[in-house]
Amino acid sequence: MNANPPALRSLGGRRPSYRERVADALRAALIAGELRPGEVYSAPGLATRFGVSATPVREAMLDLAREGLVDTVPNKGFRVTAVSDRQLDEYTHIRSLIEIPTTAELAGTADPVALQALRPVAEEIVTAAAAGDLIAYIEADQRFHLGLLALAGNGHLVEVVRDLRRRARLYGLTALVEQGRLEASAEEHLEILDALLARDTEAVRAVMTRHLGHVRGLWAAP
């Protein structure tokens, strides 16, 4: 895990607070499955792991508790909540209904300059996959997909997908790294960009369908 919580870029240009940055790093660890369901984690223990003080970690974990990602365990810390197969199916289904058509539509509407601006983020995803850095992978993946959706001009849509991503768990990522298969998934982000820049709506739809399928297939394997 990264020694310091990364400064994730926030849509709309707002600079996240230190507490929000810690919360984002914790969410990334949860989504990647590095913090496991049923396990109890103390704020001081997580603070040591992240290389920060306990206070922002405790505050960030309270934020995650309000989102239903963890439960408070009195005098011990926080227990990571589990996500059932049915919940993951539902989250993935909703994401597919939103992200696939919205991203496909961008093939005919998005500014090429704005699309090209996302290429460094797509390359970050590939680099993180090659390095086996799951936290960096999840964070860059979030920035890429939310950045794409933001180009549609619907802020509420972006927030819905952000929330769905927070609630999911991608336990299979570690296995994909060990098998050397995560890089292929990472490179799909570049495929998406290339198809968008080529104004190929059907190609975008096909790649997005395959890509989101990993959330309920390869990535979600325990």
Side-chain angles (χ1 to χ4, degrees), residues 87-135:
Q87 286 173 311
L88 190 55
D89 282 338
E90 292 173 349
Y91 299 155
T92 305
H93 181 59
I94 297 169
R95 284 188 61 188
S96 296
L97 291 174
I98 294 173
E99 293 187 64
I100 293 172
T102 301
T103 306
E105 186 176 336
L106 291 174
T109 62
D111 179 357
V113 174
L115 290 172
Q116 286 287 15
L118 288 170
R119 190 170 295 278
V121 184
E123 291 170 348
E124 278 185 52
I125 298 170
V126 175
T127 299
D133 188 338
L134 297 184
I135 302 302

Side-chain angles (χ1 to χ4, degrees), residues 29-112:
L30 283 165
I31 293 169
E34 293 203 1
L35 301 181
R36 304 293 294 186
E39 294 289 329
V40 176
Y41 298 91
S42 70
L46 288 172
T48 299
R49 187 170 176 177
F50 277 75
V52 297
S53 63
T55 297
V57 170
R58 189 174 292 107
E59 293 173 343
M61 291 299 276
L62 289 173
D63 290 339
L64 269 56
R66 283 189 284 272
E67 296 171 11
L69 299 179
V70 299
D71 293 323
T72 302
V73 180
N75 303 317
K76 291 187 177 181
F78 302 87
R79 179 182 290 110
V80 177
T81 59
V83 177
S84 69
D85 286 344
R86 178 173 179 176
Q87 286 173 311
L88 190 55
D89 282 338
E90 292 173 349
Y91 299 155
T92 305
H93 181 59
I94 297 169
R95 284 188 61 188
S96 296
L97 291 174
I98 294 173
E99 293 187 64
I100 293 172
T102 301
T103 306
E105 186 176 336
L106 291 174
T109 62
D111 179 357

Side-chain angles (χ1 to χ4, degrees), residues 79-208:
R79 179 182 290 110
V80 177
T81 59
V83 177
S84 69
D85 286 344
R86 178 173 179 176
Q87 286 173 311
L88 190 55
D89 282 338
E90 292 173 349
Y91 299 155
T92 305
H93 181 59
I94 297 169
R95 284 188 61 188
S96 296
L97 291 174
I98 294 173
E99 293 187 64
I100 293 172
T102 301
T103 306
E105 186 176 336
L106 291 174
T109 62
D111 179 357
V113 174
L115 290 172
Q116 286 287 15
L118 288 170
R119 190 170 295 278
V121 184
E123 291 170 348
E124 278 185 52
I125 298 170
V126 175
T127 299
D133 188 338
L134 297 184
I135 302 302
Y137 183 98
I138 291 293
E139 289 165 348
D141 180 75
Q142 173 168 289
R143 280 189 279 127
F144 179 86
H145 286 288
L146 296 185
L148 268 184
L149 293 174
L151 298 181
N154 187 330
H156 292 293
L157 181 151
V158 174
E159 289 307 312
V160 168
V161 173
R162 186 196 302 273
D163 181 65
L164 290 168
R165 291 176 62 95
R166 287 173 177 172
R167 295 176 184 277
R169 305 287 193 277
L170 304 178
Y171 305 127
L173 287 177
T174 300
L176 288 184
V177 171
E178 293 171 351
Q179 297 164 10
R181 300 167 68 189
L182 188 59
E183 288 182 66
S185 177
E187 289 170 356
E188 289 175 347
H189 298 84
L190 294 169
E191 286 186 58
I192 293 168
L193 273 185
D194 290 340
L196 285 167
L197 288 164
R199 302 300 190 190
D200 190 336
T201 301
E202 290 310 310
V204 174
R205 190 182 305 276
V207 180
M208 279 296 298

